[in-house]
Amino acid sequence: MPLDTSTYALAHLRLDGRRWSELRRIHGQISTQAAADGSAYFEQGNTKILCTVTGPQEPKRGVEVEMNVAAFSGMDRKKRARGDKRVQEMQYTIASAFQSTIFTHLYPHSTITLNLHVLSQDGSLLACALNAATLALIDAGMPMSDYVSACTVASAPSSDQTLDEQDPLLDLNGLEEQELPFLTVGTSGEEGKVLVLLMETRVQVARLEAMVSVGLDGCRQIRGILDGVVREHGRKVLESRVS
Amino acid sequence: MAPYTGIPLSPAELQYLHTSLSQDPPIRPDGRSPTQFRPLVAETDILPSTNGSARICFPDGTEAMVGVKAEVEKTRGGGQNVKGEVDGKTGEDEEMGDDSNRSARSGRDWGEWVEIGIEIPGMRDDDALPIFLSAMLTEALLADTGLKDTLWINSRFHWRLYIDILLLSQPLSYPLPLLSLTTHLALLSTRLPSLISERDEDPLFNDDWEASTPLYPRSKADGSSAQKPPITLLVMSVGGMIYFDPSADELAVADAVVALSVTSTSTTDADALPLKLVALRTIDPPSRLTAGGVSNVLNTTSTTGTASTGTTSTGGVLAIRENDQGQSVWRPPRGGVKRAVVGRMIKAVVEKGGVGMEVMAGLAGVET
C-alpha cells in the first residue's frame, strides 16, 4: 500500500521522502508563448500545466475556461470525450474563482478565455490549474485583486482515532490522492480569503479544521512562489530594457 | 466592401507582395532566400509519462507538442476479433483464450497499429482541419513498411503507437509543417522497452529503461543509413518561383500551395536519392479567398474625368476585368500549377543536399 500506516508512523516520511508539510518541486515560468495575450507554464512535481489567455473579445460571457487534458498525460493513454463531466466541473470551478477576482467591470461586454493544457498529471490537478491560470492572467496584464493560489491537503490514516494523532499532508501526488481523503483549497490574498474549497471524498468532520488551516498555510507558501516567479520575470524584462 | 476573410491585407498590399515574389531574383518580405527556413526552437524528452515527446516553437508564436505512447496489443488473427490491451512495462497479461489463432508474420491491417490524434484549440475533433491533417500525417507514416517490423513483437502481439499532437496556440498559419516536424522529432526520441521473452510466449520486458531500444535507431548493424520518420513540408509557388516555409503573408498571395511528404530511404548506394516522396497534396491557397481590387476604369466613386458617366453593362465590366488579367490591380489566382513547377519542387526536396536533408539533419541535431 502506498501509504501503509506502519511505515508512515515509523519515520513520518511519505513515499517520495517528503514530510507532512513539504511541497513538491514547484517550478513556474511566464510568457512562454509569444502568440498568446498571456501564457504561463506551471509544474508541481510531475503535474505540468500550460495556460494561455486570450481576450478581451466581443461577445459578453465573462470568464471562460477550457481545459484540455492531453491523452498522454496519465500513465495509460486515454483520450477524453468532449463532454467529460469531471473536466466540465473543474472548468466551472476555475471560471467562478476568477470571475470574482478579475476586475471584469473594466471590460464590459467582453469574454476572457483561459485555455489550460494538462501535459502530465500526477495529483493536485485543480490546484495546479488555478496556479497556472493566475500566472497567465498576470502575464496578460489582467487587473485582479490578488494572486489566486491553491493546494491540496489530505488526512493521513492513523491507528488512533483521537484528534491529536491526525496528520494533515500537504501537496499530494497521484498515488496519495487515490488512497487518502483529500481536499483542494484555493485562496486569494496574503490573509487567505478562501475562494475554492472542493472535497470529493469523506473524512471525519473533526479533522476538517486542521486540514483547512494546513491548506491555508500551504497556499501562502505557494503564493510566495508565484510572486517570486513574476518578480523574476519582471527583473529580466527590466534588465534587457536598461542595457 | 469585400467580406473579411481572415487576411487583413488590402488589394494594393497583395499586389505589392505578389510582384516582389514573382521577380527574378525574388525578394521575400523578410529577406530570406527561397529555401531558407525561419529559426525554430525545439526540445525533446519533456514529458516523463510518455515513450517519446517533443515541442517546437515557430518564430511567429505558434507552438506544438507531441507525445508518443506505446501499448502492447494482441494481434487480430485469422478472422477472430480478439483484441486486448496489455501494460507493456510490467509484462502482466490477461488470460489467453484457446482460440487465439496465429496470424501470419505479414501482419495484415498493420495500419491500425498507429493512431494519430490531433487537438487544435477551438476546434472539435470532427472538424475538417484536424481530420485532414491527421489523415495526411498517418499516410506519410504508414508509407514506411520498416515501421511494421519494429512494432511487431511476435505472432500474437504487437506494439500499438498512439501519437497525440497538441497545437498549443491558435492556428495563425497553416499548421501542417509545424505538426509534422514536431511528430518527426517525437518519433526520433521514442523508445520501446526491450524484450526479454522468446518467440511466441507472452511478452515480457526489461524493467530497466536504460536498456530500452529506440523506435528509429541511429544506425543499423549493417552500416546502412538508418530509417527516419517522415516529414511534410509546405511549398508554395508564385509565377515560376518556388518558396519553402512560407509565412502567412506569403501564403496570402500564393498561386499554388503543395504539401510534400518525404521519408528517408535506407540505402547504401551513393548515387541513389537519399529521400523518397511518399505523398503530394495540393492545399487550397488562402489567396483565393481574397477580394480583387477595383481598377481605375471601373471606379465609379472617383470624381476625376476617367470615370464613365453612365453605368456600364455587367458584360462590359466583366470584359474589362478579364482583359486586365491582374496587371493593374490584384486578382485572386485562378487555375492550377504547372507540372514543371511541381517537378522542380519535388527535386528541390529529395535531391542530395536538398531542403529535405537539411531539415532532417537539423532535427537530428536536437537529439544529441
Side-chain angles (χ1 to χ4, degrees):
Chain A
M1 293 298 282
L3 213 58
D4 203 348
T5 325
S6 57
T7 54
Y8 182 69
L10 278 175
H12 289 278
L13 285 178
R14 290 140 96 180
L15 263 186
D16 46 10
R18 287 186 290 151
R19 295 207 179 272
W20 65 276
S21 62
E22 280 174 11
L23 298 167
R24 290 180 284 179
R25 187 189 85 99
I26 299 188
H27 171 72
Q29 264 185 309
I30 62 174
S31 229
T32 54
Q33 206 182 96
D37 292 328
S39 57
Y41 171 69
F42 197 71
E43 300 185 344
Q44 267 182 261
N46 274 333
T47 303
K48 303 177 205 281
I49 300 192
L50 193 77
C51 181
T52 57
V53 177
T54 38
Q57 277 159 349
E58 227 339 72
K60 177 181 170 50
R61 280 194 299 260
V63 179
E64 264 199 347
V65 175
E66 195 190 307
M67 182 181 265
N68 169 24
V69 182
F72 47 71
S73 57
M75 245 320 122
D76 298 325
R77 191 260 183 185
K78 184 170 177 275
K79 197 162 169 109
R80 254 136 258 250
R82 257 297 139 180
D84 192 28
K85 291 291 184 237
R86 293 215 65 200
V87 170
Q88 275 186 339
E89 189 185 350
M90 265 195 272
Q91 284 173 189
Y92 176 74
T93 312
I94 299 171
S96 63
F98 284 106
Q99 189 77 40
S100 53
T101 320
I102 300 179
F103 295 147
T104 46
H105 62 271
L106 294 173
Y107 301 100
H109 304 287
S110 322
T111 305
I112 296 158
T113 312
L114 286 165
N115 263 310
L116 289 155
H117 298 273
V118 179
L119 304 174
S120 171
Q121 42 177 339
D122 187 26
S124 301
L125 187 59
L126 179 61
C128 193
L130 284 165
N131 297 330
T134 301
L135 286 179
L137 285 167
I138 291 177
D139 184 47
M142 280 285 155
M144 318 194 327
S145 59
D146 211 315
Y147 291 83
V148 174
S149 52
C151 68
T152 48
V153 191
S155 171
S158 55
S159 50
D160 194 341
Q161 295 296 311
T162 58
L163 283 177
D164 42 14
E165 278 294 322
Q166 65 178 312
D167 243 352
L169 303 178
L170 193 59
D171 194 15
L172 313 172
N173 61 28
L175 280 174
E176 291 167 343
E177 265 188 14
Q178 281 170 5
E179 300 286 336
L180 302 172
F182 74 100
L183 57 81
T184 306
V185 57
T187 64
S188 154
E190 191 60 52
E191 67 281 355
K193 178 177 119 187
V194 174
L195 288 179
V196 173
L197 188 61
L198 181 72
M199 182 159 203
E200 287 164 337
T201 43
R202 281 183 286 206
V203 83
Q204 282 185 319
V205 71
R207 300 185 176 224
L208 194 60
E209 192 185 331
M211 284 167 76
V212 172
S213 71
V214 167
L216 290 179
D217 186 65
C219 290
R220 203 171 301 127
Q221 287 182 54
I222 291 191
R223 186 187 179 283
I225 296 174
L226 293 179
D227 196 33
V229 170
V230 174
R231 284 177 193 273
E232 178 62 33
H233 179 79
R235 189 185 61 82
K236 277 198 204 137
V237 169
L238 280 177
E239 267 175 12
S240 65
R241 293 266 164 86
V242 167
S243 60
Chain B
M1 269 286 275
Y4 180 64
T5 53
I7 303 174
L9 295 171
S10 69
E13 287 170 314
L14 293 167
Q15 180 71 351
Y16 175 81
L17 282 169
H18 185 90
T19 315
S20 84
L21 287 176
S22 41
Q23 281 182 350
D24 188 12
I27 305 174
R28 290 178 91 166
D30 46 13
R32 287 183 286 154
S33 78
T35 54
Q36 189 178 350
F37 278 67
R38 287 170 291 179
L40 50 85
V41 174
E43 44 182 2
T44 60
D45 273 339
I46 39 184
L47 301 170
S49 60
T50 55
N51 288 66
S53 55
R55 170 175 165 258
I56 292 191
C57 303
F58 270 8
D60 60 356
T62 50
E63 63 177 295
M65 187 175 286
V66 172
V68 181
K69 281 183 89 71
E71 282 179 3
V72 176
E73 195 179 56
K74 217 168 177 183
T75 310
R76 221 188 299 177
Q80 302 275 348
N81 222 350
V82 193
K83 214 177 216 190
E85 277 185 2
V86 172
D87 184 347
K89 293 239 173 80
T90 62
E92 295 168 348
D93 43 46
E94 48 173 22
E95 343 177 312
M96 298 299 138
D98 302 318
D99 51 359
S100 57
N101 293 329
R102 304 263 167 124
S103 62
R105 194 188 174 147
S106 60
R108 300 162 278 168
D109 313 323
W110 83 276
E112 294 173 3
W113 297 1
V114 175
E115 189 178 311
I116 296 190
I118 300 191
E119 287 267 1
I120 299 184
M123 288 198 183
R124 296 153 47 94
D125 287 340
D126 44 9
D127 273 344
L129 185 62
I131 294 181
F132 187 48
L133 289 173
S134 86
M136 278 204 280
L137 293 173
T138 316
E139 165 189 68
L141 201 58
L142 295 180
D144 167 31
T145 48
L147 183 62
K148 180 192 74 192
D149 293 327
T150 323
L151 294 178
W152 191 92
I153 301 176
N154 55 36
S155 66
R156 284 161 52 217
F157 292 93
H158 61 264
W159 284 109
R160 193 185 166 110
L161 268 188
Y162 292 99
I163 303 174
D164 291 296
I165 306 177
L166 293 183
L167 188 61
L168 294 170
S169 52
Q170 301 293 324
L172 296 173
S173 57
Y174 202 66
L176 180 62
L178 173 64
L179 301 183
S180 166
L181 292 181
T182 321
T183 310
H184 173 100
L185 204 52
L187 286 170
L188 271 183
S189 74
T190 304
R191 305 185 74 95
L192 297 175
S194 66
L195 194 65
I196 302 181
S197 62
E198 314 228 341
R199 287 192 307 251
D200 267 353
E201 57 190 32
D202 298 337
L204 194 63
F205 298 95
N206 194 346
D207 278 336
D208 185 7
W209 193 240
E210 299 296 314
S212 58
T213 54
L215 186 63
Y216 285 92
R218 288 272 147 179
S219 55
K220 287 218 197 112
D222 55 3
S224 63
S225 62
Q227 183 65 269
K228 288 207 179 151
I231 53 170
T232 304
L233 296 175
L234 210 60
V235 194
M236 70 170 239
S237 76
V238 171
M241 315 297 301
I242 60 177
Y243 297 98
F244 286 88
D245 191 24
S247 64
D249 287 346
E250 292 165 345
L251 280 175
V253 297
D255 286 345
V257 181
V258 166
L260 283 165
S261 302
V262 293
T263 182
S264 60
T265 51
S266 48
T267 170
T268 45
D269 187 359
D271 290 333
L273 291 170
L275 300 175
K276 66 175 181 201
L277 183 75
V278 293
L280 185 143
R281 295 196 173 266
T282 53
I283 313 265
D284 225 7
S287 46
R288 291 189 202 217
L289 295 174
T290 57
V294 179
S295 66
N296 253 347
V297 180
L298 296 168
N299 191 358
T300 52
T301 60
S302 78
T303 51
T304 55
T306 47
S308 56
T309 49
T311 54
T312 43
S313 63
T314 40
V317 169
L318 200 57
I320 293 172
R321 276 225 181 97
E322 288 300 307
N323 287 333
D324 186 53
Q325 278 189 18
Q327 294 303 320
S328 61
V329 288
W330 165 253
R331 192 187 71 172
R334 285 186 215 169
V337 55
K338 289 196 169 70
R339 261 189 276 178
V341 174
V342 176
R344 279 195 292 128
M345 284 181 185
I346 298 174
K347 184 160 174 288
V349 174
V350 301
E351 68 186 350
K352 231 190 182 104
V355 178
M357 293 244 53
E358 216 180 289
V359 172
M360 283 200 175
L363 289 175
V366 178
E367 260 293 281
T368 54

